Structures are given as C-alpha cells and as structure tokens.
Amino acid sequence: TPGANDIDWLLHHVGLPGDLTGRSVLDIGTTNGAGAFVAERRGASRVVAVDLFPPEYYGFSDIAALLGSGAEYVRASVYGLAELLGERFDVVLFLGVLYHLRHPLLALDELRALTRGTMLLETAVSDYQLGDRSEEALARFYRRDELGGDPSNWFAPTARALVEWCASCGFDTELIDAWPPAAPERAAVRCTSTGAEPEWRGLSYERPLRVDVAGTLSDRW
C-alpha cells in the first residue's frame, strides 16, 4: 500500500545499503514497520523495530504476519532503550522521530550507545523559518501545535545545529542532504560512532555545583 510516506525514496535518500546481509538493524519509530521490513528484505540477519504504541496500532503485527516476518517488535521509548535492549546494532534508523522529542540531546546519547556501525537520521529542520539566521546552530521550540498542526512536535534544529548536536553526542556526522535546497524543511545525516567518549563529557567545570533538596547551592556531589 502507498502509506503516508514513500519509504523506498526515503531509505534511498538517506543511504540505506541495498545489501544488508548479516547485519543487525534497529528501526526506532517504526510505526507500521516499513523500514524494518525493507531491512529484512535486504538481508539483515536481525531486525528490531521499536515504537511507543502496541504493534497493532499502526498495523505492524498484521503486516508482519502477511510477510512472514521475523522482525522483533519492542514497545518502548527511545529514552533508556540502550539499557533495555543491551546491545549495539550495525545500522540504526531514526527517521522522522527527533522533532517529536522534548529531550532531543538525551535521545541522541541513547542512539550513540545503541550504534555499533552507522546511524541514519532524518528530521524536520527549521532553516526555512529562520531566514538570514538559518546558517547558525539554532533550534525552534514549538510550545503547542505550531509545527504542522501537531502538538507532538517540539523542536526543529537548523541543519547545522543537527550536525553539531550529533557531533556533541559522540558521532562523526555527515550531512547527507537538506531539502528543499533554497529553504530546507527536512534534513538527513549519516553518523558513525567516534569510539571515544562523547564530546560533551569532556567539558569540565572548576567547581561543579548542584542544588540540594533544600534548594541551596552546594559544591559537593
């Protein structure tokens, strides 16, 4: 069926390999499982599909039965997913999810912990809304349903901010594309783990502070 999105075009655009023989694939925000089923068809040896909703909500369970799919479905949030699954994947798909999150950097930290090979991320971006400032590392916050009339949309970075967010979280990051070219509304990046500690963990403070239960500042952790 055609569905809401052209999954073949999207997976080609973000650079999902045509041959995934022997690789493990994690599809986060799978909805009806299109990305997971394509990965399975391309030879992936292990496919895990993740979404917040039960598998029948978007039709994953029915489609899996029709296809005779062996893809595993996990109902979970991206937050805490690395600990829940306890493994890393050769390919991680994170398509059309980031802008639905109230804590995007926390999610990227989870993705880094889940990625052994490559993470392919596609998201809404705000370049088209920021005019002359679209080249800066900025993000738009949408308090209600200002983005697409959808109250589950929270943040849209610029394409530059997207790259820098991923780099901060410990990825070597390549901007695949941002489209439409004149004023991008969507962007995709290809990320590989640097193998080192995430960049942000190297930031230090001479005297770290915390607020204790009484609401007073303390220099003790």
Side-chain angles (χ1 to χ4, degrees), residues 173-188:
T173 308
E174 172 193 357
L175 180 65
I176 298 171
D177 195 11
W179 64 94
E185 300 179 28
R186 311 288 295 195

Side-chain angles (χ1 to χ4, degrees), residues 197-210:
E197 280 289 294
E199 178 184 280
W200 68 267
R201 289 188 181 275
L203 301 177
S204 61
Y205 302 91
E206 292 184 4
R207 193 178 186 187
L209 299 176
R210 72 174 179 87

Side-chain angles (χ1 to χ4, degrees), residues 57-101:
Y57 188 87
Y58 287 111
F60 180 97
S61 51
D62 288 338
I63 300 170
L66 177 67
L67 297 175
S69 171
E72 177 184 350
Y73 190 95
V74 176
R75 185 181 179 185
S77 163
V78 66
Y79 309 120
L81 187 59
E83 182 177 0
L84 176 66
L85 295 181
E87 62 181 300
R88 293 179 180 237
F89 293 80
D90 298 314
V91 179
V92 175
L93 298 176
F94 200 60
L95 310 177
V97 179
L98 189 68
Y99 54 98
H100 292 296
L101 304 177

Side-chain angles (χ1 to χ4, degrees), residues 39-55:
E40 191 175 40
R41 189 167 67 237
R42 295 183 184 185
S45 59
R46 173 162 168 71
V47 178
V48 178
V50 176
D51 210 286
L52 282 174
F53 299 95

Side-chain angles (χ1 to χ4, degrees), residues 15 30 140:
T30 192
R140 282 288 307 271

Side-chain angles (χ1 to χ4, degrees), residues 7 11 16 20 25 27 30-41 47 93 95:
I7 190 66
L11 294 177
L16 183 69
L20 293 169
V25 176
D27 181 21
T30 192
T31 60
N32 65 3
F37 299 137
V38 170
E40 191 175 40
R41 189 167 67 237
V47 178
L93 298 176
L95 310 177

Side-chain angles (χ1 to χ4, degrees), residues 23 30 36 38 68 80 140 142 146 153 162 170 177 182 187-188 196:
R23 299 191 196 183
T30 192
V38 170
R140 282 288 307 271
Y142 306 96
E146 298 92 335
N153 294 336
L162 177 62
D177 195 11

